Amino acid sequence: MAQENIESTLLENRRFPPSESFVRRCALQEDKLASLYEKANADHEGFWAEIAKQEIDWFKPFTQTVESSNAPFFRWFADGELNVSYNCLDRQLAENGDKTAIIFEGEPGDVSHISYKELHQKVCIFANALKAQGVNKSDRVIIYMPMISEAVVAMQACARIGAIHSVVFGGFSSEALKDRIEDTAAKVVITADGGHRGGKIVELKNTTDQALSKGCESVETVIVFKRCSNDVSMQQGRDIWWHDAEDGQSDNCPPVPMNAADPLFLLYTSGSTGKPKGIQHSTAGYLLNAITTMRWVFDIQSSDVFWCTADVGWITGHTYVAYGPLATGATMIIYEGVPTVPDAGRFWDVCARHGVTIFYTAPTAIRALMKVGDELPKSYDLSKLRLLGTVGEPINPEAWMWYYEVIGQSRCPIVDTWWQTETGAHMIAPVPGVTVTKPGSCTRPLPGIDAAVVNDDGEEITQANQGGFLVVRKPWPSMIQTIWGDDQRYKDTYWPYFDGKYYLAGDSARRDEDGYFWIMGRIDDVLNVSGHRLGTMEIESALVAHKAVAEAAVVGKPHDVKGESVFAYVVLKGDRPEGGVDEQMTNELRAWVSDQIGPIAKPDEIRYSDNLPKTRSGKIMRRLLRAIAKGEEITQDTSTLENESILLQLQGKA
């Protein structure tokens, strides 16, 4: 990848130091953070060993920090033994037994509070139910659930008995579910009759039946939680209701000692070939970074009410719902539905009623709620919020500022976090009591994380604002172990360059004059327009900075002369123009981007729609946008789209 200087007037110069009130009460202050960096830089392995001994309760202490002889298959703390569920639940009972672990709110409005003692009992009972169904250590269990407390119970129960869970997002189709069941050779599927989402019932059991009808011969049992009481069919000898499986089971289930490097879970993520990759995470290393990032990035404290809005079907819901908050004794919110039911004030209503202090969500959700305007969030009491976070993709400065000023009322630091399914936990993120933030930048790597921007030869780029490959040069505890069943694909995907010495994130990035990281987009989302390298995120940020634009996505389209042309999809704050065409607005936006970045970045085509194609988790389906721009027939599965009818608008047919 040839590297070009990025000539952009979008370089963000606004700086936001943490407020004095936040600094006074935060746990990790400047002197402590400086000490962490100093220790990590002086002795990388020793740094992580010391923290692992402090943060994890071990059944058998480790003597070796990281085994590197078979790199890139690194094994952390490999001769130690522990149990993740024990670290999340049992060790909380003495001091936090009566403390609320989970505040659950269903989309219809039902609310329940579960203490650590009650959650421990629920997990033990269900763990015994799994054992009664023949689930043993190392067996794979698929979890296909709505976003309810029982999803976390199921994950923790698997961890307790040493089964390897693989959570499948409840919005995925039967075909996607089937692929994951077959790749894991799962013995048990845990699902529900249905879940509430968007004012409708998502019929999970019926989708499970469809998946199992296509093969999946490894599955012996399907456990079904009754959530919606919708009609479902139960197959004799295979299907069992959750409550029947639990009937008569003891609330005493000793945690199984696990080797530190044993797999904790598999989580599937999209691959460039179209075949999903089963990302395998270890037990101890994953848990350690879940804990440290809860402390460093979220400044988690005993009085906090923490809400990560992610579904447990994604890595964010694993690390910052199912494991990190519980391992640090936090109280967390689990919300079942979407942010727009019954109206676009639902997130702010939940925050106000439950006293949320830390709120962590995706830029796509922020931009969608920003489009509704300021008055709705201002009608709720958000005074208890003290920290905001974003996750999933780079956040454009315009949305960052709205989040900061309207939701955080200009007093809450924003932690813009860069990490991946493969990294397991935050890698580059602000430390809220110390870091001066800039809208749109994930700032600097955390202690013990050796991230860098390098050129084609693997040499670190020291010149400010010159783009390159984002890599990690030293192993870290929560890193991906391998791709399930395909070690070679793991090496080919994540260690393909630089003699296999660096983990390749797949993102392009630049560092500014202060050393802050700016994520430009995926490597395959970097456009080559007439020999100039343009990050799609740069152009999207320019478009969204225009007063009329709510959201934008940019892809490349093959061009006979320029190699690639810039194709933009735009959602306006007002109504979509009739037929999706507005020449005056298009000319205005092209001129705007030219002023913001340069004439080379002007979109050649702009297509307007009411929304962008997103999965039900809020992720933009960029491969779909690229196919539409190229005029290709859509062959990929669109069943996970939040609104399939948007395809006609995107194709210019409505």
Side-chain angles (χ1 to χ4, degrees):
M1 185 176 81
Q3 304 304 322
E4 304 276 347
N5 272 330
I6 300 170
E7 303 288 343
S8 174
T9 57
L10 274 181
L11 300 183
E12 182 60 59
N13 290 314
R14 287 171 290 187
R15 290 167 167 79
F16 295 85
S19 66
E20 290 183 9
S21 60
F22 189 94
V23 172
R24 276 197 303 271
R25 64 166 293 188
C26 70
L28 186 55
Q29 301 195 354
E30 192 166 4
D31 57 340
K32 292 182 180 179
L33 180 62
S35 176
L36 289 174
Y37 279 117
E38 184 179 341
K39 290 178 180 178
N41 293 336
D43 181 2
H44 184 73
E45 289 189 25
F47 168 77
W48 285 119
E50 181 181 345
I51 294 177
K53 291 171 183 175
Q54 294 170 352
E55 293 288 6
I56 292 176
D57 284 4
W58 296 89
F59 295 159
K60 176 188 173 186
F62 62 91
T63 62
Q64 184 179 23
T65 303
V66 60
E67 168 56 52
S68 305
S69 62
N70 191 31
F73 300 94
F74 299 95
R75 289 164 54 85
W76 283 85
F77 320 117
D79 60 345
E81 293 183 356
L82 72 157
N83 183 277
V84 168
S85 178
Y86 179 91
N87 275 271
C88 290
L89 302 176
D90 301 59
R91 68 173 179 173
Q92 305 297 342
L93 297 180
E95 293 186 8
N96 294 323
D98 294 327
K99 180 180 179 178
T100 299
I102 296 173
I103 302 171
F104 168 72
E105 178 160 330
E107 191 177 77
D110 50 315
V111 174
S112 61
H113 292 69
I114 304 171
S115 70
Y116 272 93
K117 181 180 179 181
E118 291 167 335
L119 183 59
H120 178 263
Q121 291 173 336
K122 287 176 178 289
V123 168
C124 286
I125 291 170
F126 191 66
N128 284 327
L130 288 176
K131 290 197 294 184
Q133 296 300 320
V135 178
N136 299 307
K137 181 179 177 180
S138 300
D139 285 340
R140 274 79 64 203
V141 174
I142 292 285
I143 299 173
Y144 184 60
M145 299 277 285
M147 190 56 184
I148 57 178
S149 303
E150 285 74 17
V152 173
V153 169
M155 295 167 76
Q156 287 281 341
C158 288
R160 194 166 193 86
I161 63 175
I164 303 169
H165 66 67
S166 185
V167 183
V168 179
F169 173 57
F172 275 160
S173 66
S174 60
E175 192 66 30
L177 177 60
K178 177 189 79 75
D179 289 344
R180 287 152 176 79
I181 293 171
E182 291 186 335
D183 197 60
T184 59
K187 192 173 190 177
V188 170
V189 176
I190 304 169
T191 188
D193 53 0
H196 297 283
R197 191 168 183 87
K200 301 176 181 178
I201 292 177
V202 180
E203 297 190 349
L204 297 170
K205 177 57 165 63
N206 290 341
T207 303
T208 302
D209 290 341
Q210 291 171 23
L212 296 180
S213 70
K214 302 173 184 178
C216 306
E217 295 178 1
S218 63
V219 174
E220 299 174 4
T221 305
V222 177
I223 300 176
V224 187
F225 182 78
K226 184 172 287 189
R227 168 62 182 157
C228 299
S229 296
N230 51 302
D231 289 336
V232 298
S233 62
M234 299 288 284
Q235 182 174 307
Q236 185 91 19
R238 185 196 71 183
D239 300 349
I240 182 172
W241 288 106
W242 178 299
H243 59 270
D244 289 334
E246 287 190 328
D247 189 33
Q249 296 297 335
S250 168
D251 64 1
N252 177 36
C253 181
V256 173
M258 302 295 291
N259 181 276
D262 281 342
L264 174 64
F265 65 84
L266 308 173
L267 187 57
Y268 284 78
T269 187
S270 298
S272 58
T273 64
K275 180 185 176 183
K277 307 186 294 283
I279 306 303
Q280 179 178 319
H281 275 292
S282 71
T283 295
Y286 171 80
L287 177 65
L288 179 60
N289 282 142
I291 292 171
T292 57
T293 51
M294 284 294 298
R295 300 202 193 285
W296 297 345
V297 179
F298 291 128
D299 185 45
I300 196 71
Q301 299 184 20
S302 60
S303 59
D304 280 317
V305 177
F306 177 84
W307 186 15
C308 168
T309 66
D311 191 283
V312 290
W314 312 109
I315 188 63
T316 306
H318 280 57
T319 309
Y320 301 111
V321 178
Y323 292 113
L326 298 175
T328 52
T331 294
M332 66 172 169
I333 302 284
I334 292 179
Y335 170 59
E336 179 184 27
V338 299
T340 52
V341 173
D343 58 43
R346 186 62 179 267
F347 272 8
W348 321 129
D349 179 46
V350 171
C351 286
R353 282 188 289 106
H354 299 303
V356 173
T357 59
I358 302 173
F359 181 71
Y360 189 42
T361 196
T364 50
I366 295 167
R367 288 192 291 266
L369 297 172
M370 172 181 163
K371 186 179 179 182
V372 178
D374 300 356
E375 295 308 311
L376 195 56
K378 286 182 177 178
S379 67
Y380 294 95
D381 179 7
L382 302 179
S383 61
K384 289 191 176 180
L385 286 173
R386 69 179 190 92
L387 181 64
L388 303 174
T390 74
V391 59
E393 61 178 307
I395 182 170
N396 56 292
E398 183 87 359
W400 194 102
M401 288 302 303
W402 182 84
Y403 197 33
Y404 178 76
E405 293 175 346
V406 177
I407 305 305
Q409 299 165 1
S410 300
R411 58 181 168 75
C412 299
I414 293 178
V415 288
D416 178 357
T417 59
W418 178 84
W419 60 299
Q420 301 173 309
T421 302
E422 294 86 349
T423 72
H426 301 151
M427 301 289 279
I428 308 174
V431 175
V434 181
T435 308
V436 176
T437 54
K438 299 180 186 181
S441 171
C442 51
T443 70
R444 294 193 177 103
L446 294 168
I449 304 300
D450 184 17
V453 179
V454 301
N455 62 19
D456 291 19
D457 298 320
E459 300 164 339
E460 185 167 10
I461 296 172
T462 57
Q463 185 174 345
N465 299 315
Q466 186 170 352
F469 294 104
L470 178 60
V471 299
V472 184
R473 297 180 294 193
K474 293 179 182 177
W476 66 100
S478 64
M479 66 190 299
I480 175 178
Q481 299 296 287
T482 188
I483 292 174
W484 178 256
D486 199 340
D487 288 349
Q488 189 59 48
R489 189 182 183 194
Y490 164 68
K491 293 172 69 174
D492 293 343
T493 302
Y494 300 108
W495 308 85
Y497 309 142
F498 321 123
D499 297 323
K501 294 178 181 177
Y502 300 162
Y503 168 84
L504 182 70
D507 284 331
S508 57
R510 59 180 171 87
R511 297 185 75 177
D512 65 19
E513 61 280 356
D514 296 320
Y516 280 30
F517 283 71
W518 297 77
I519 308 302
M520 297 166 57
R522 296 293 296 171
I523 290 172
D524 56 5
D525 283 341
V526 176
L527 309 183
N528 189 339
V529 181
S530 299
H532 294 267
R533 294 271 169 175
L534 299 171
T536 55
M537 185 60 197
E538 295 276 318
I539 306 172
E540 291 168 3
S541 288
L543 286 165
V544 176
H546 189 281
K547 62 183 180 181
V549 176
E551 204 165 8
V554 169
V555 298
K557 179 180 178 180
H559 192 279
D560 290 341
V561 177
K562 295 188 288 186
E564 279 188 297
S565 62
V566 180
F567 194 110
Y569 299 86
V570 168
V571 179
L572 298 175
K573 290 181 179 176
D575 294 335
R576 172 177 175 261
E578 187 175 348
V581 177
D582 187 336
E583 291 186 6
Q584 182 178 342
M585 177 57 69
T586 296
N587 291 333
E588 185 176 333
L589 291 177
R590 294 183 78 241
W592 172 267
V593 172
S594 180
D595 289 340
Q596 295 289 304
I597 301 177
I600 193 66
K602 287 194 300 185
D604 293 78
E605 297 176 67
I606 298 179
R607 191 163 291 171
Y608 300 91
S609 62
D610 290 331
N611 209 330
L612 296 175
K614 299 172 187 172
T615 65
R616 295 181 181 91
S617 68
K619 187 174 183 179
I620 297 171
M621 295 184 71
R622 293 180 182 273
R623 280 188 287 179
L624 185 60
L625 292 177
R626 283 193 286 269
I628 292 172
K630 294 175 184 177
E632 297 174 348
E633 183 180 349
I634 297 172
T635 57
Q636 66 191 91
D637 181 15
T638 60
S639 64
T640 61
L641 280 177
E642 191 174 34
N643 179 6
E644 285 193 71
S645 65
I646 207 72
L647 290 177
L648 292 176
Q649 289 186 8
L650 295 166
Q651 292 170 312
K653 298 178 180 178

